[in-house]
Each structure stands twice: as C-alpha cells, then as structure tokens.
Amino acid sequence: HHVSYRAAYNLIDRMQRAYPIVWWRVICYHYAKRSRQLTSYRNGEPAITTHDYFERVNTNTALAAFDFSLCGVSDKSTSLINLEKYPIVHINFHKTFRFQNISAENEYMYQRSK
C-alpha cells in the first residue's frame, strides 16, 4: 500500500489519538463423542465399520470491552519525523498495552472476571 508522507503522518496521528479498545471474547465449549458408519468394499462385498470421533460443540459465547474510564490511557509511541527525506519508507505497527499502576491492573482483572 503506497501513500504520500503527508497521508502517513495523518494516519499515524489518527491512530495515536484514537481511543483504544481491548476486547474479551469467551467461548464455552465441550467435546461430544460422535459415531459414523463407514462403508468400504472388500472383494466386492460391503464392509461396514463404525468410526468414533470427538467433535467440538460451542455452547455459549460472550464479548466485552475493557472500560478505561477509571484508569485512563496514554500513548507511549515514539515520534515519527522526517518521512519526507526518504523516497521509500516501510512502517510496521505493533500494538500492546501495559498498566500504569497496580490499581489499573486490578480494575482490568476485575472487569475481565465478570
């Protein structure tokens, strides 16, 4: 994907100003034993065998997002400068999060446990 350096600056600025979202997705499941009959032919005669297998069965799903309002957020990205000096620039994005203090981590763990 090729963009001008101005467009790259704008994109990165929008990303840095955007409010982060940390999603939790939970899927509850179990494995159920199933059976199926297989027919094969030996010497022209059908031979029926039973094959047992386990199939994953999803029973419930839930989706939630972390509410940052109690602990705040900050962006620790380094500044991007002088893109216009280079004819070609490759930009890699990496997202991670960490807690600013123990109370923020506790709030995260509390919300996740609900």
Side-chain angles (χ1 to χ4, degrees):
H1 188 77
H2 301 280
V3 297
S4 70
Y5 70 89
R6 285 186 186 92
Y9 280 130
N10 289 336
L11 173 65
I12 292 168
D13 181 60
R14 282 196 338 263
M15 289 175 64
Q16 288 175 327
R17 286 186 287 114
Y19 198 74
I21 301 174
V22 175
W23 289 102
W24 294 294
R25 182 175 183 204
V26 177
I27 301 174
C28 300
Y29 63 91
H30 66 277
Y31 287 95
K33 185 176 181 180
R34 308 275 193 229
S35 297
R36 67 177 161 219
Q37 289 186 339
L38 300 172
T39 303
S40 59
Y41 292 90
R42 293 184 190 134
N43 300 326
E45 295 293 319
I48 298 173
T49 58
T50 301
H51 177 253
D52 293 332
Y53 64 98
F54 290 91
E55 181 176 70
R56 180 175 150 162
V57 179
N58 292 345
T59 54
N60 193 18
T61 60
L63 186 66
F66 180 48
D67 178 9
F68 290 93
S69 64
L70 298 174
C71 53
V73 296
S74 63
D75 186 346
K76 301 295 183 184
S77 302
T78 56
S79 296
L80 192 62
I81 57 172
N82 298 325
L83 283 181
E84 60 277 2
K85 289 185 176 182
Y86 305 98
I88 297 175
V89 176
H90 182 87
I91 301 173
N92 290 316
F93 294 98
H94 176 76
K95 298 176 282 184
T96 187
F97 68 94
R98 62 181 143 191
F99 304 106
Q100 294 179 350
N101 52 48
I102 193 69
S103 64
E105 182 176 2
N106 289 339
E107 180 61 27
Y108 174 86
M109 298 303 284
Y110 172 73
Q111 288 183 32
R112 192 177 79 167
S113 69
K114 288 182 172 183

